[in-house]
Amino acid sequence: MNKPFVAVAAVDSIAPGKFVKVEVEGRAYIVARVDDRFYAVEDNCSHEDYPLSYGCLDGKRIKCSLHGSRFSLETGQPEDEPADEPIAVFAVEVEGDRIWLDPSRAVNR
Ligand code: FES
């Protein structure tokens, strides 16, 4: 896998329905697994700059533990109030036994 993709985790390190927090160049991301698909989003709630990694997965959504907004892992869009702005979604690929993240740009902005 070529740049700008960066290897961030081993495939086996994330069980289905779970996520890990990773850091690339000082920025935090969530890499989540739903069934056999992987998703990457910024680790920051758009409502009050709160880490989404304190929350939990709800299907293909990450739920903020502070006020409960859920965000689509596919589009970044909030599905509940109080958040009304999307979070950034990043391209993620699997090659071999590694998960690769492209931190160079959000794919939903
Ligand atoms: S900080 Fe996430 S919903 Fe308020």
Side-chain angles (χ1 to χ4, degrees):
M1 187 75 54
N2 295 323
K3 278 209 173 241
F5 280 87
V6 177
V8 290
V11 169
D12 290 348
S13 68
I14 311 176
K18 302 291 186 184
F19 68 83
V20 296
K21 175 182 175 177
V22 302
E23 290 198 10
V24 179
E25 296 173 0
R27 301 187 73 178
Y29 302 85
I30 286 172
V31 180
R33 180 175 186 170
V34 180
D35 298 323
D36 280 330
R37 289 208 55 186
F38 292 89
Y39 303 89
V41 298
E42 64 178 317
D43 183 18
N44 189 52
C45 184
S46 63
H47 180 228
E48 284 190 6
D49 293 333
Y50 187 78
L52 287 170
S53 56
Y54 293 168
C56 60
L57 290 186
D58 176 9
K60 291 182 182 176
R61 304 176 202 90
I62 181 83
K63 181 177 180 180
C64 180
S65 64
L66 192 53
H67 303 115
S69 289
R70 294 176 300 168
F71 297 86
S72 166
L73 294 171
E74 295 177 315
T75 67
Q77 290 294 328
E79 297 186 0
D80 311 280
E81 293 182 345
D84 58 4
E85 295 288 329
I87 59 172
V89 176
F90 295 86
V92 63
E93 301 279 348
V94 174
E95 186 175 280
D97 63 352
R98 298 281 176 120
I99 303 164
W100 299 75
L101 164 71
D102 175 1
S104 65
R105 65 180 186 89
V107 296
N108 64 331
R109 292 186 174 163

